[in-house]
């Protein structure tokens, strides 16, 4: 009889332990899962970095040509850009070049307010 009481007590302790362990894990399963929202990387390109982007993308002899900032707050389709003109001693080369302040994307900007990739422009594509 003592052995049955002892075995019953052991079984009762094991069952209580199992139920206690399950009840601790229960609320974690019923709680809302964490939702991770990716954050958008903000790079903020400064003026000197924008000039370097131009010089690395458009291969010219920059001892003969210079890159002049003409607008530090140029806006196109809701995005902020730096606007530059490349020129030599005599004249500037059209179109102007815009560089995204956010990620350094470089584009050609035309007087009629249109934009193309630099490698698609008739003037600059041979220099990319």
């Amino acid at each position: 009889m003592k052995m049955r009481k002892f075995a019953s007590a052991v079984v009762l302790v094991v069952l209580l332990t199992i139920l206690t362990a399950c009840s601790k894990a229960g609320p974690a399963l019923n709680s809302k899962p964490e939702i991770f929202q990716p954050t958008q990387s903000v790079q903020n390109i400064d003026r000197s970095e924008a000039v370097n982007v131009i010089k690395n993308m458009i291969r010219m002899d920059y001892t003969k040509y210079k890159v002049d900032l003409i607008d530090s707050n140029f806006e196109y389709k809701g995005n902020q850009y730096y606007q530059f003109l490349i020129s030599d001693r005599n004249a500037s080369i059209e179109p102007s070049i815009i560089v995204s302040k956010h990620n350094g994307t470089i584009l050609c900007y035309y007087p009629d307010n249109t934009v193309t990739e630099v490698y698609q422009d008739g003037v600059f594509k041979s220099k990319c």
Side-chain angles (χ1 to χ4, degrees), residues 5-21:
K5 286 184 180 180
F6 179 73
S8 296
V10 170
V11 170
L12 183 61
V13 169
V14 170
L15 287 175
L16 288 174
T17 304
I18 291 172
L19 291 174
T20 304

Side-chain angles (χ1 to χ4, degrees), residues 55-72:
K55 288 180 177 180
N56 289 326
M57 181 71 159
I58 302 172
R59 294 180 197 102
M60 299 177 76
D61 182 359
Y62 288 102
T63 60
K64 295 178 183 175
Y65 294 93
K66 62 182 181 172
V67 179
D68 293 314
L69 179 69
I70 57 173
D71 190 348
S72 63

Side-chain angles (χ1 to χ4, degrees), residues 43-58 62 67-72 80-86 97-107 118:
Q43 295 180 0
N44 294 333
I45 304 297
D46 68 19
R47 178 183 170 182
S48 64
E49 291 170 323
V51 170
N52 286 334
V53 168
I54 292 170
K55 288 180 177 180
N56 289 326
M57 181 71 159
I58 302 172
Y62 288 102
V67 179
D68 293 314
L69 179 69
I70 57 173
D71 190 348
S72 63
Q80 291 292 314
Y81 292 85
Y82 294 103
Q83 185 179 22
F84 297 92
L85 273 179
I86 298 175
I97 304 296
I98 59 174
V99 179
S100 169
K101 288 184 175 185
H102 172 68
N103 61 14
T105 301
I106 180 173
L107 301 166
V118 175

Side-chain angles (χ1 to χ4, degrees), residues 3 11 23 30-31 37 44-45 62 67 69 71 76 90 94 102 113:
M3 190 59 129
V11 170
S23 68
N30 293 332
S31 66
Q37 301 253 347
N44 294 333
I45 304 297
Y62 288 102
V67 179
L69 179 69
D71 190 348
Y76 180 74
N90 301 320
E94 292 287 336
H102 172 68
N113 300 327

